[in-house]
Amino acid sequence: MSERTLSIIKPDAVERNLTGAVLKMIQDEGLKVVAMKMIHMTKEQAQGFYAVHRERPFFDSLTDFMCSGPVVVAALEGDDAIARYRKLMGATNPDNADEGTIRKLFALDVEKNTVHGSDGPETAAVEISYFFNRLEMVG
Ligand code: DAT
Ligand code: MG
């Protein structure tokens, strides 16, 4: 079933000029970019995006990191896009990520882990609408 998921290329990757390499992996996987832009979030915007994690010990550090530089946010579309993108990303901690995944190849540590991807259909819908309105979506 065709789905959409929200991808973020995080500040550690944009800063190291890895945007193109990550997008190539996404496109080689067959996922279609249906919206994309570069933004530099405020602390408040990062806190809003990661609100589900607000009680976690890493929340303040995570939201500082996410607004430390520009990110590339994109909506991706394809059959089973949510699970396929999670698989392409690899485990949250790159030490546990499978060979050939984005995080295995590029992540610096569990926080500076290069990419975000939605974890389910409900969060994907909320996360896509957090960054994109209908006029910014193709199709
Ligand atoms: P994911 O990004 O794989 O969906 P998550 O939703 O559990 O992982 O956590 C969101 C982000 O928070 C994650 O990409 C990096 C950061 N994070 C998670 N666990 C962490 C930890 N133990 N220490 C530091 N940062 C962590
Ligand atoms: Mg998550």
Side-chain angles (χ1 to χ4, degrees):
M1 191 185 69
S2 187
E3 288 178 334
R4 286 178 173 176
T5 190
L6 190 277
S7 164
I8 305 178
I9 304 176
K10 294 185 179 183
D12 68 286
V14 174
E15 200 264 331
R16 289 179 290 152
N17 276 347
L18 293 170
T19 302
V22 173
L23 286 171
K24 175 160 171 53
M25 290 178 73
I26 288 169
Q27 294 188 310
D28 286 350
E29 168 60 27
L31 294 166
K32 184 178 172 189
V33 177
V34 293
M36 184 163 65
K37 61 188 167 188
M38 180 179 275
I39 60 170
H40 190 156
M41 280 190 267
T42 64
K43 176 80 169 174
E44 290 68 29
Q45 288 168 334
Q47 288 170 328
F49 179 73
Y50 274 122
V52 291
H53 293 310
R54 64 187 172 278
E55 305 300 335
R56 308 285 283 276
F58 55 80
F59 181 69
D60 195 49
S61 178
L62 170 65
T63 52
D64 273 349
F65 166 60
M66 290 300 288
C67 66
S68 68
V71 299
V72 174
V73 290
L76 310 178
E77 187 176 86
D79 286 341
D80 208 17
I82 296 167
R84 278 168 63 204
Y85 188 48
R86 294 291 307 191
K87 187 157 186 280
L88 180 65
M89 287 164 53
T92 306
N93 186 333
D95 291 343
N96 304 325
D98 289 341
E99 292 297 330
T101 62
I102 294 170
R103 283 167 165 168
K104 183 70 173 186
L105 283 166
F106 300 129
L108 300 175
D109 56 44
V110 68
E111 179 176 271
K112 295 179 174 59
N113 65 2
T114 306
V115 278
H116 167 85
S118 309
D119 61 11
E122 293 80 16
T123 45
V126 170
E127 290 177 0
I128 289 169
S129 64
Y130 193 77
F131 292 112
F132 297 105
N133 64 39
R134 283 190 56 195
L135 281 174
E136 296 173 304
M137 307 280 306
V138 175

